[in-house]
Each structure stands twice: as C-alpha cells, then as structure tokens.
Amino acid sequence: MSIGLTEEHRALADSVRGLAGRGIDRAALARQGLFGVHVPESRGGQGFGLPELCVVLEELGRARAGDAFLPTVLAAATLAADNPLLEGLADGTLTAAVVLSGTATALGPADADLFLVPVDGGWALLDRSSVTAEPLEGVDLDRPLCTVTVTEVPAGRELGPVPVRELAAVLIGAEACGLAAWAVDTAASYAKVREQFGRPIGQFQGVKHRVAAALVALEQARAAVWDAARALDTAGRTASDRAEEAGRTGEDEVWLAVGVAAVLAPDAAVRCTADAIQVLGGIGYTFEHDAHRYYRRALSGRMLAGDPGEWSERVARLAAAGTRRAMEPDLPEEAAALRAEIRAQARELAGEEPLARLGRFAREGWIMPYLPKPWGRAATPLEQVVIHQEFRELKRPNLGIAAWAVPSIVAYGTREQQERFLPRTFTGEIVWCQLFSEPGAGSDLAGLSTKATRVEGGWSLSGQKIWTSLAQYAHWGICLARTSPDKHKGITYFLVDMAAPGVTVRPLKEINGEEIFNEVFLDDVFVPDDLVVGEVDNGWKVARDTLSHERVALGDSWGPGSQHTDMMRLVTARDGLRPAQWEQAGRLWAEGQAISALGLRVTLSQLEGGGTGTAASVRKLLGMRHAQAISEFCWSVNPSSRYWNRMILTTRAFTIGGGTTEVQLNIIAERALGLPRDP
C-alpha cells in the first residue's frame, strides 16, 4: 500500500514509476506535468492537491530522483494563485531553492532561479540577483544544497507567514516513504536469494524480523504523511490559501497532523535504509551498491525536515492543549441516504428498554452486521462504517471471545448449531472461551497434542489447554483437538460444554494479581458428533478463517489497554515535566495517532474495494507494543498511581497473547514480503 489509496493515485504512481525505466530528469518531469500536479489549472498546473504531490514524491524517493524537484514544488505550494511566478514553477522552466534548516542552508542548487528564504517573521521568494548562493557539500552526494545570504528584498516579493516548514516536513516525509520502500524491497529481495549456512538468510528470524519491522515502520510513516497531506490540503488551492483556511477552521488540528508526520517519516527512512545496509552486509557498505546513497538521502532529509525533538515537543504541547485529530473517512454521496435510514433505526432502538433493545440488536443483525443474514445484515463496507458511526451512543455489546467463535459457526456450522448457539450468544446468555493454546503449542497451533478419540456417538477429548481467557466464567469453548497424525489436516474444531464431566479449570494468577488466564484440563470429555464444526480433520481451516471475515477495520479504535489519549490526560494533570519527557510524550502521541490513521487507511481501502493485506498484523503489532510504551512512560511520570502500576504489568501480556510479536513479524515477512518460511 503506497501513500495514495485510490485508483487514480495508483495510476499516477505507476506513471511516475514508468519514468524510472526511461531516466528521470527535469525535462521528463516537466513533460509529464509533475511540477504542477498541485498547482491550479488556471496557472498551468494539473489542479490536484498535496496528496497527489506526495504520491509523486514517494515514487521519486523510491527512484532517488528529482534533484531540484522537491524545492521547486515546495516553493510553488507557498504561492497564491495570482502570483506571476507560479506558472514558471509549474511548468518546470523555473527552479527553486528553499532555506529550511534554521541556518542559511538551503535545499536546492546554488544556480536556482528563485530562493525561498525566511525574512522578518515571514517568507520571501527572491530572484537569484537578490541573494548570494554558494554550493554546499553535504552527506548526500546527489542532492544539491547551498548556503544563501540575502542581499535585498525587493518590494512585492514577501509572501507573509506561509507554512513553509510544515509543508516541507510533509513533502520530505513523502520522499522519505519512497526511500524506505526501496530499502525494504531491496533488503527483502536480497534476503530471498543470499544464502548462508545452506539456506536463504531471509529464513533466519533475525533477518526476517529486521526486514518486517522496517516494513511496519514504513507503513506507520505512510499513514502519518498521508494524513498530514490531507489535513494541509484544500483541493485546487495553493498553500498560502490553505494556511489562511487553517487559521479559520481547525489550525491546530492541521499542525498536529503535520507534526506527527515530521516525527515519524524522516526517522523511518533512516531506519529502513540503515537496516537495508545491515541485511546486504559488506556489499551494502561499499560504492558497489546504491544502498549508501539511499541512506545518505534519508539522513539529509531528516536534517532538512527539522529537529525531531522539536517536532515531538510541538506535538505534545498541541495534544496537551486539547487538540485532537479526527479520524473519520470521507464517504461517497450515496452514504447520505444510507445514513438517514440507519440513523432513523438507531433512534428507534434508542427508545427501547435495554433488554428489548438487546433482543432487537440480536434479531436484526446489528451486533456483527458484516455477517450474512439472518445473523448479521450482510453489510457492505460502507454500511459497516455508517452503522459504526450512528450506533456509537447505543453501545452494542462486546462479545469478547464470542467474536471469534461466531464467524466460524456462521461459516462452517450446521443450521442446528447456528440456531442453538448464535441468538443466545448475541444476547450475552452464552459466554465463550477459546481452547486453542497448549503448554507445548502456544503460537504453533499446528503442534497441538490434545487428542480426540472416536467413541460411540461422538468424540472423547483429552489434553491440556492454557492461557484460556475467562474460562472460569465461560459456558462453552471453541476447541481444537487432534483427530489424526497429520500436522494440519489432522485437526478438528469442536464446541465444548465447559460444565461437562472431565473439564477442570484452574485460574492462573498473573503478574498484575488478576486471574484472567486459566489452565483447562480435558479428561475424557465427551463431545457429541453434532458439536463438530465443519468437517472432521479440517478444523485448521475453520480456525484459520475465524478472523479472516470481511469486517471493516475502523480507524478510531486499534486495540485494548493504554492509548496515547490516556497518556495525555496524565500529562495535562501534572506540572514540571522535563523537556525530554515532553519529547517522549510527543513521539508516543505521534505513534498512536499514526496507528489510528493506518486503521482509517485500511477502512478507505476496503471502501474502494481493496483488501487489507497484512494490515491487521501491522496494526496489532504496533498497537500492542505502543500500549506497553505508553504504560511504561506514564508509570515513570507517576509511579505512585495505582492505575499505572497495574497497567505497566498488564500490558506485558499484549505482545504475547493472540500471536506473539515474533509471530506477527513472521506473518508480515512471509505474506507481505515473500520471505521464506521457517523450516
């Protein structure tokens, strides 16, 4: 998934990528009209906006191309639509250099036609005759830099307080995503073919996890840059107009989104390119390979984007002041009629007594609307989003583990099983647990040893399960047991009565003092044939498909436990945070907001008819790890808090349960990057 989400974005990216094979130079970029992608058509541009420009920059970053393209399009983005210089920038006949680093260092060549420089609290776009510019050698061997000294500011060349550094952070962030994408692809490709110790190095988890973690950092950065671009953008208008608009409506929300991108994207490029060199080994450290040039470009971009610590503190201060970034999808026109219909039904349900309302939730398919009728509403992705939005105040019940059991019973269960279990599950009369993990087969479910032996009228189950959440309260369990020796095909999916003879539940005291997990012992537990879900020996497929149903991943919720909003409540309630703590809080906020943006991107992709890819694993990995980091930070700020004393311990389980971090990295590496499976 690139920064762009729509078919038009993908076509634009393909067209830029096509230039790479023919050679990307200034003339080629100009012929394709890319200098003016974001410039109004009335001034010779294509009339799109910053998201489209970011799509172009990501692809140019991937090719490490463009030379003076970035400072030129940045300068164009600062100009009002009536500025006479805009047309020359849009058609590529004029080039620009931009002072960014807080000193006299400018991005762009010393022989540029125009120079965007800070003056008296604002900015000015000056001709070469109004400055003294000298080439500057930087770490990037291919990116032109120069030092600029202003000699005069002619009348009419001042632009006022346009958001140059904010725009630069987003555009540099887009290029950074391209650099990171090249690095991830290069490292993965090399890891597939480079052999050591008789097998591809991509099969070693140390390499596999490094590359997968780089992809995770890239996807988080893409989400942040995409969100910042859409926050800054008003279609068909230039950045100076956007700044004026932002000042009237939600300025701080825009700057918060920009700050998140500035914190995450440049760092992601540095990390991914450095990791590519590590995977490539000695060849990556030489001029024989381009990896060092991508690393150099990433370092240069991070320097030009501005001090990450300053951006982090800016994010934290905005969030502490109450600024929030809304994560709602822009829906198509047909959503209006659908919303009116669903809103009317929601209001009708709101008037019901709680028990009557719960019954209607179950009967009318509102609890899991993506399921087929009659258990759901066969809701399309668009309908799911609207239902989620309109039912927020009604608080539909959380089914817990039942949310895993129900799709399996719907997809593979008999009609009798569905009618017996589903209505009472939806109303909360039946509570479920999951009997999958075993002491010798945690994440490796195919290695389970609980045995099911054929007996008259059914099966006898014997074995031990562990880490079974809330088993002491559950009425029924979904259980995997081995019915033949074949590792995958010999597993069957059973529904087990937790009150049946032979079932013993022993709670496990966890490090936070609670007893959520349990050991469950199965000693000759009889399960009748009519409680087998799907075919005998085909339970692996049932279990695998349990979580692969077509549910839309909604962007405003990404996981349990501590979140960045919880952290900010603590930060705003305390005085005397050190600067380093403000920086840390800002980075944590940026990571959390980007996870939400990633979820929104997945939703929009589904609305466009696309799939989710490995987004579920990426979001789980990011969300669970993030919850731990939030808890650790908040506990360090307030170690006397009972709540944070509990959460720092509770969140330790998050990167273990439901598939460990290492398993999630394996999934991402193998499914998204095609790295070889473990032997």
Side-chain angles (χ1 to χ4, degrees), residues 309-335:
E310 292 182 7
W311 282 113
S312 295
E313 183 170 354
R314 182 177 182 182
V315 166
R317 298 286 185 183
L318 286 167
T323 304
R324 298 293 180 268
R325 176 73 177 135
M327 291 293 173
E328 294 290 346
D330 296 325
L331 300 181
E333 292 182 4
E334 58 264 30

Side-chain angles (χ1 to χ4, degrees), residues 207-416:
V207 174
K208 180 181 293 186
H209 289 182
R210 180 183 292 273
V211 182
L215 177 61
V216 170
L218 165 60
E219 291 299 340
Q220 189 176 42
R222 276 175 170 155
V225 170
W226 165 80
D227 185 52
R230 73 190 188 101
L232 268 174
D233 190 67
T234 302
R237 294 152 64 89
T238 57
S240 57
D241 301 317
R242 293 185 195 106
E244 181 181 344
E245 180 74 15
R248 293 195 297 269
T249 57
E251 176 182 3
D252 285 346
E253 182 181 337
V254 173
W255 306 147
L256 181 65
V258 170
V260 168
V263 169
L264 297 177
D267 267 1
V270 173
R271 172 187 175 165
C272 292
T273 52
D275 282 346
I277 292 174
Q278 186 70 24
V279 172
L280 289 165
I283 190 67
Y285 189 68
T286 70
F287 270 66
E288 299 298 314
H289 199 285
D290 280 346
H292 74 102
R293 295 186 180 274
Y294 281 84
Y295 179 58
R296 290 168 180 272
R297 177 64 55 90
L299 289 171
S300 172
R302 186 168 65 178
M303 179 271 293
L304 292 164
D307 183 353
E310 292 182 7
W311 282 113
S312 295
E313 183 170 354
R314 182 177 182 182
V315 166
R317 298 286 185 183
L318 286 167
T323 304
R324 298 293 180 268
R325 176 73 177 135
M327 291 293 173
E328 294 290 346
D330 296 325
L331 300 181
E333 292 182 4
E334 58 264 30
L338 178 63
R339 185 180 303 281
E341 177 186 342
I342 292 174
R343 180 172 294 173
Q345 295 179 75
R347 286 175 177 169
E348 181 184 342
L349 285 164
E352 296 273 16
E353 292 296 321
L355 285 177
R357 184 188 311 134
L358 180 59
R360 287 190 60 184
F361 277 158
R363 291 192 304 274
E364 297 173 15
W366 294 110
I367 297 177
M368 302 176 82
Y370 47 88
L371 294 176
K373 295 178 180 179
W375 314 117
R377 300 180 66 84
T380 65
L382 177 59
E383 290 170 326
Q384 291 179 53
V385 171
V386 175
I387 290 170
H388 172 78
Q389 292 173 337
E390 295 300 324
F391 274 66
R392 279 195 180 107
E393 301 302 321
L394 290 179
K395 298 186 185 302
R396 289 171 292 169
N398 181 356
L399 297 183
I401 296 298
W404 293 24
V406 167
S408 294
I409 296 173
V410 168
Y412 296 96
T414 65
R415 187 67 179 181
E416 291 74 17

Side-chain angles (χ1 to χ4, degrees), residues 37-334:
V37 163
H38 58 314
V39 174
E41 291 180 278
S42 61
R43 306 304 292 180
Q46 296 194 43
F48 296 111
L50 290 179
E52 288 75 20
L53 180 57
C54 285
V55 170
V56 173
L57 283 164
E58 181 179 17
E59 290 305 320
L60 293 179
R62 187 190 293 267
R64 197 175 43 79
D67 292 334
F69 182 83
L70 199 159
T72 300
V73 297
L74 172 57
T78 66
L79 298 182
D82 60 355
N83 193 302
L85 296 173
L86 192 56
E87 291 186 8
L89 292 169
D91 65 17
T93 57
L94 295 177
T95 58
V98 183
V99 174
L100 286 175
S101 65
T103 64
T105 302
L107 168 62
D111 61 353
D113 301 296
L114 300 169
F115 292 81
L116 184 60
V117 297
V119 291
D120 298 329
W123 293 81
L125 188 61
L126 306 178
D127 295 326
R128 192 188 312 164
S129 60
S130 298
V131 303
T132 299
E134 297 291 338
L136 176 67
E137 182 177 336
V139 69
D140 187 345
L141 302 177
D142 308 303
R143 165 172 272 161
L145 299 176
C146 61
T147 58
V148 178
T149 303
V150 176
T151 57
E152 63 172 337
V153 182
R157 304 307 289 269
E158 293 192 28
L159 305 178
V162 290
V164 174
R165 290 195 173 95
E166 289 77 9
L167 281 161
V170 175
L171 300 185
I172 290 172
E175 182 190 64
C177 289
L179 299 170
W182 177 90
V184 171
D185 290 345
T186 298
S189 297
Y190 185 77
K192 293 175 191 177
V193 299
R194 175 71 164 118
E195 291 192 357
Q196 288 283 277
F197 308 105
R199 54 187 174 130
I201 63 172
Q203 202 170 56
F204 295 101
Q205 284 200 347
V207 174
K208 180 181 293 186
H209 289 182
R210 180 183 292 273
V211 182
L215 177 61
V216 170
L218 165 60
E219 291 299 340
Q220 189 176 42
R222 276 175 170 155
V225 170
W226 165 80
D227 185 52
R230 73 190 188 101
L232 268 174
D233 190 67
T234 302
R237 294 152 64 89
T238 57
S240 57
D241 301 317
R242 293 185 195 106
E244 181 181 344
E245 180 74 15
R248 293 195 297 269
T249 57
E251 176 182 3
D252 285 346
E253 182 181 337
V254 173
W255 306 147
L256 181 65
V258 170
V260 168
V263 169
L264 297 177
D267 267 1
V270 173
R271 172 187 175 165
C272 292
T273 52
D275 282 346
I277 292 174
Q278 186 70 24
V279 172
L280 289 165
I283 190 67
Y285 189 68
T286 70
F287 270 66
E288 299 298 314
H289 199 285
D290 280 346
H292 74 102
R293 295 186 180 274
Y294 281 84
Y295 179 58
R296 290 168 180 272
R297 177 64 55 90
L299 289 171
S300 172
R302 186 168 65 178
M303 179 271 293
L304 292 164
D307 183 353
E310 292 182 7
W311 282 113
S312 295
E313 183 170 354
R314 182 177 182 182
V315 166
R317 298 286 185 183
L318 286 167
T323 304
R324 298 293 180 268
R325 176 73 177 135
M327 291 293 173
E328 294 290 346
D330 296 325
L331 300 181
E333 292 182 4
E334 58 264 30

Side-chain angles (χ1 to χ4, degrees), residues 68 125 301 345 514 544 656 660 667:
L125 188 61
Q345 295 179 75
E514 296 181 354
R544 187 187 62 198
I656 300 173
T660 67
I667 291 171

